Amino acid sequence: MHLAAYQIILITVYAFIAINDSLISNTLTQPAIAGMISGMIMGDLKTGLMVGGTLQLMRLGIAAFGGASVPDYFTGAVLGTVFAVISGKGAEYGIGLAVPVSLLMLQLDVVARFCNVYLLHRVDRAIDDMKINRIPRLVLSGSFLWGLSRAIPILLMLLVGDAAVSTITENTPEWLMNGLKTAGGVLPVVGVGILLHYLPTKQYIPYLLLGFFLAAYLQVPMLGISIVSVIAAIIVFKKDSEKAEHPTVTATNNGTFEGGYDGDE
């Protein structure tokens, strides 16, 4: 089976729209949704759901918080479904192909984020110069580039074929892959550092250390840590609720009284 022109156009347009939607609702980029829509375009909904659903299980518990780059299972679901249908080898072949695609797009995701840094500096300069009318155009330009970061690779892979995926993965220079991996590893650390700066970390250091101990030394999986986190959240919530019912009254230097907990007022 060969791809028709309308199928290539529809899938490319969908990729452009979906990646921009990820900045708002993060719905269209879910692997299960991507596989379903790609399967409908290819005329094989069952294969699309099998590929997308399997990748959705791989994606559970993974999110790009704080600028982190994670495997792009969205692109993997789209291309895995397409190549599974046109090759006639079934969903297993598509899933096997989707994994290296997702890892390859992990590196390109870092490049896509770097491309918008230039526009961000232009926005800062426009604010400093009070040229407010330029800001909407720069923001839309960033959205356009972000959409192309997925639309162009998907379009090229659809035009060239599934052999291109294996060729690119096997022949990419090691120094380039290592550099992008290093950049992708630094971004999550910076993002987590920014989040911890604004969160009441000092108040919850025991829970932070507990999570680190479970992950680093006991190798507890993400689901287990999540369950412990829910228990800790319930304990903190009940504790704060009790304080709210019985507020602490403290005297101040000017003779007035105010209530609150742990000096947060």
Side-chain angles (χ1 to χ4, degrees):
M1 177 181 177
H2 296 284
L3 281 170
Y6 79 91
Q7 292 174 321
I8 295 177
I9 294 173
L10 287 177
I11 292 174
T12 303
V13 171
Y14 164 65
F16 182 91
I17 296 174
I19 195 61
N20 276 294
D21 175 75
S22 67
L23 303 175
I24 304 173
S25 66
N26 199 27
T27 300
L28 294 178
T29 53
Q30 295 297 321
I33 302 297
M36 179 187 71
I37 295 178
S38 301
M40 291 174 61
I41 295 175
M42 296 300 299
D44 192 341
L45 180 60
K46 179 180 178 181
T47 299
L49 288 174
M50 291 177 65
V51 174
T54 303
L55 294 178
Q56 187 73 54
L57 294 176
M58 299 180 184
R59 191 185 185 280
L60 291 178
I62 300 177
F65 292 126
S69 293
V70 298
D72 186 5
Y73 291 116
F74 159 69
T75 304
V78 172
L79 294 178
T81 299
V82 171
F83 292 136
V85 175
I86 63 176
S87 66
K89 298 180 180 180
E92 293 79 8
Y93 172 78
I95 295 169
L97 183 64
V99 174
V101 168
S102 303
L103 295 175
L104 176 62
M105 288 304 300
L106 165 64
Q107 319 306 330
L108 296 181
D109 180 71
V110 178
V111 177
R113 293 174 187 270
F114 283 161
C115 289
N116 273 326
V117 172
Y118 170 75
L119 293 175
L120 178 60
H121 289 309
R122 293 287 300 274
V123 171
D124 291 337
R125 189 179 309 167
I127 294 174
D128 294 336
D129 297 338
M130 294 302 294
K131 297 179 179 178
I132 307 301
N133 294 332
R134 290 185 179 181
I135 297 177
R137 294 196 300 271
L138 292 171
V139 172
L140 289 177
S141 298
S143 178
F144 184 74
L145 288 176
W146 187 242
L148 291 180
S149 70
R150 298 306 190 279
I152 290 179
I154 287 178
L155 175 61
L156 292 177
M157 291 180 184
L158 292 179
L159 293 175
V160 177
D162 55 345
V165 178
S166 300
T167 302
I168 293 174
T169 304
E170 295 172 359
N171 295 291
T172 300
E174 186 176 355
W175 62 266
L176 178 59
M177 295 292 285
N178 290 337
L180 293 174
K181 287 179 180 179
T182 301
V186 171
L187 285 176
V189 177
V190 176
V192 172
I194 294 174
L195 292 176
L196 292 177
H197 177 72
Y198 291 102
L199 292 174
T201 310
K202 294 181 180 179
Q203 186 177 354
Y204 301 110
I205 283 182
Y207 300 105
L208 181 65
L209 294 177
L210 175 61
F212 176 78
F213 175 76
L214 293 176
Y217 292 96
L218 298 185
Q219 304 296 321
V220 177
M222 186 62 65
L223 180 59
I225 295 177
S226 300
I227 294 174
V228 175
S229 300
V230 171
I231 296 173
I234 294 174
I235 294 174
V236 172
F237 176 78
K238 292 183 66 175
K239 180 180 177 181
D240 290 347
S241 298
E242 292 175 357
K243 287 185 178 181
E245 294 175 0
H246 307 286
T248 303
V249 179
T250 58
T252 60
N253 293 332
N254 58 8
T256 60
F257 297 87
E258 62 181 25
Y261 10 79
D262 297 337
D264 291 336
E265 59 280 357

